[in-house]
Amino acid sequence: MALQTAHKLLRVGVIQDGRIVEEHHVLHDSVTIGDDARNTIVLPAAQERPGRFKVLENRSNQFHLIIDEHMQGRVNLGSSDVDFDALRSQGLATRREDATFDLPLQESARGKVELADATLFFHFVPAPPEGSKPVLPPELKSSSWRTLDQLFFVILAAMLVLYVLSIALIVTRPPAVEAEVELEQLEDRFVRAFIPPQAPVKEQPKDTGTSPDKKTDEPKAPPKKTATATAAPAGNPAEQRQQLASRVAGTGLLKILGSKGEGGALENVLGSDMGGTSVADALSGAKSGDGALAVGSGGNGIANPQGDTGGKVAAIGVQGTTGAGKVDTGTRQTVRAPQVADAAAEVDSSEVSPKDMARFIQGRKAQIQRCYEKELKRDPTLKGRVMVRFNLKPNGRMENIEVEQSTLRSEGVSSCIITTIRGWTSHFRPSDDVPVSYPFIFSSGD
């Protein structure tokens, strides 16, 4: 008998954890289930369930139950309940070409379809009057408290109470009275911050006035002599020389040398015969013997001066000076700078050549050497071998960087190498991750 859809509606719902979580009232449309968003009832994807399956199909104003070979459930046909296995085995449901079974439903039919993650129920209900909306029974309606996460609500309420109590405690607590600190109790560094030191002020000498009892310490400048006082008569050279000799006779070198002759010291220097003795006669005693001013070839004379060790000074115009002693400048040494030796890369892929990868790493060897030189300042004996392993990504970056083996015994160099390699971007674009191993050999240059 055809279903009178004008008076009956097909009610379809989903039960999970003993509660109705979804419900639909269908008049003419078919009911589909699956993970496709276009389904009447959307369920999580499952291996045994297709993305879109028509479980209740409306044909000629009558609903048909569609089940497959593995679907389980029960249906009430008015007189008794029959499970899906009996429907398939007893021929109550018609087998279709797509290996599914078709069962026409009457107005009194009701049943459920058991799924892996939910239970689908269906039955027919009278159609509501026009203009009214279907209302669930009170026992099926969900309340706000039942739909609320009770554990979360309890934790939130407890935190709110603690927060209010903490604020009330802070507000009602009297403020702490801080004792005033005297300036003498502060440390010198704080005093200098508050009151910067000032440069000492030089005391200005007080004006003593014209008091005869106090004498000033400033020496008096000697009176300047006028030109007329020292000027000699321009017409008598002999008198002029005599006056000059009398002024400088007791000063400077002339006072030490003394005077000889009747003319005094100036007469000895400026005189034509120098007290009756010529320059050649005065030096005649210095030419012979081993005197300090001996002009001959022997001794430490003027012609051949010698040092304490037997050295000789070259004359003017002679290039070079010889001596008996030698200056030890030490052994000549060659100092080598710290370096990172080149090595071969191990690449586990046919898409990236080991030589090209080694050339790429060696082009950035200066960055690795800076990591080594930084730690070499702390430990000058630092040297060894660090084996670094990383994965070359399809985008050219290096990831999963780790130090596989190290004889350098320096965590600072290892961490610096990892940070440096992580910032590299190569021109290689492999189709998959490529494992790469490269050894860095460090030597301090000693």
Side-chain angles (χ1 to χ4, degrees), residues 371 374-375 378 408-418:
C371 297
K374 179 180 179 181
E375 296 297 327
R378 303 179 182 177
L408 196 63
R409 303 187 305 277
S410 174
E411 294 294 337
V413 176
S414 300
S415 60
C416 182
I417 291 175
I418 294 175

Side-chain angles (χ1 to χ4, degrees), residues 387-398:
M387 175 63 77
V388 180
R389 183 176 181 86
F390 57 87
N391 289 340
L392 177 62
K393 307 298 288 185
N395 59 358
R397 301 298 297 271
M398 286 66 175

Side-chain angles (χ1 to χ4, degrees), residues 327-439:
V327 179
D328 186 8
T329 60
T331 306
R332 182 178 180 181
Q333 298 180 354
T334 303
V335 179
R336 296 186 302 168
Q339 60 181 352
V340 182
D342 296 337
E346 298 178 5
V347 182
D348 190 7
S349 175
S350 60
E351 299 182 69
V352 180
S353 172
K355 293 183 179 180
D356 295 340
M357 176 56 66
R359 190 180 299 109
F360 169 77
I361 297 176
Q362 292 165 11
R364 288 151 181 79
K365 187 172 59 177
Q367 303 177 14
I368 303 297
Q369 184 168 351
R370 282 195 289 269
C371 297
Y372 174 57
E373 292 177 353
K374 179 180 179 181
E375 296 297 327
L376 195 62
K377 296 178 182 179
R378 303 179 182 177
D379 186 4
T381 63
L382 196 64
K383 60 182 179 179
R385 181 174 180 269
V386 178
M387 175 63 77
V388 180
R389 183 176 181 86
F390 57 87
N391 289 340
L392 177 62
K393 307 298 288 185
N395 59 358
R397 301 298 297 271
M398 286 66 175
E399 294 184 3
N400 301 330
I401 309 167
E402 60 181 3
V403 175
E404 194 173 45
Q405 186 181 5
S406 174
T407 61
L408 196 63
R409 303 187 305 277
S410 174
E411 294 294 337
V413 176
S414 300
S415 60
C416 182
I417 291 175
I418 294 175
T419 304
T420 302
I421 296 178
R422 187 177 290 115
W424 290 353
T425 302
S426 68
H427 60 280
F428 305 108
R429 295 296 183 270
S431 59
D432 199 358
D433 292 357
V434 176
V436 179
S437 297
Y438 189 86

